[in-house]
């Protein structure tokens, strides 16, 4: 008879090693991202917001949710990026009472350069076969709750 998983037990050695490795990957990625942002005279938060807006215009409330911060913080970040010509505010086509923030052409260029300059994972990933990269991607999708890798 199956019993509920005991979550109070200590994790096994393999799980602890995986957790430590994930922590190291996150730390290295964060450091690389901050360095790439600084090379463009951006803070990490500005770079992340610009990267989000390079994909699609978003309302300030949605940006705050994605950045996990207060809307007033997002307003300040957008103000600074707007002053540099990287972001602009526009009426939402679906609801003209709502303003969305959108990356300008220059903002999209800077965001693209930021993504292309991230060096940390590029070389190690290039050393993996396509099958290994697909397996890693699928495992990461499962970990972040994106469901079945085949979805």
């Amino acid at each position: 008879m199956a019993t509920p998983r005991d979550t109070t037990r200590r994790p096994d050695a393999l799980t602890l090693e995986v957790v430590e490795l994930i922590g190291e990957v996150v730390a290295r990625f964060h450091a690389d991202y901050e360095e790439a942002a600084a090379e463009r005279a951006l803070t990490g938060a500005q770079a992340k917001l610009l990267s989000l807006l390079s994909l699609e215009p978003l309302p300030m409330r949605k940006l705050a949710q994605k950045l996990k911060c207060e809307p007033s913080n997002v307003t300040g970040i957008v103000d600074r990026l707007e002053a540099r010509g990287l972001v602009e505010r526009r009426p939402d086509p679906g609801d003209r009472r709502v303003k969305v923030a959108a990356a300008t052409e220059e903002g999209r260029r800077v965001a693209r350069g930021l993504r292309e300059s991230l060096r940390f994972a590029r070389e190690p990933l290039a050393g993996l076969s396509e099958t290994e990269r697909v397996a890693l991607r699928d495992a990461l999708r499962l970990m972040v709750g994106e469901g079945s890798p085949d979805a």
Side-chain angles (χ1 to χ4, degrees), residues 66-126:
K66 287 183 174 279
L67 293 172
K68 296 178 179 27
C69 69
E70 293 296 317
S72 60
N73 291 349
V74 170
T75 300
I77 295 168
V78 169
D79 287 346
R80 288 184 285 285
L81 291 173
E82 190 172 36
R84 289 185 54 187
L86 302 175
V87 167
E88 62 187 7
R89 289 176 170 90
R90 303 177 185 160
D92 185 333
D95 183 350
R96 299 194 66 75
R97 297 168 296 173
V98 175
K99 292 278 190 191
V100 297
T104 62
E105 186 58 41
E106 176 66 7
R108 286 188 293 278
R109 187 190 65 73
V110 169
R112 190 171 38 257
L114 180 67
R115 278 190 301 275
E116 290 170 359
S117 72
L118 295 175
R119 299 172 293 276
F120 159 64
R122 185 173 297 134
E123 288 181 25
L125 286 173

Side-chain angles (χ1 to χ4, degrees), residues 3-20:
T3 59
R5 199 170 111 195
D6 181 6
T7 57
T8 60
R9 284 192 347 230
R10 285 187 57 129
D12 61 86
L14 177 59
T15 299
L16 288 173
E17 182 180 5
V18 169
V19 168
E20 289 296 320

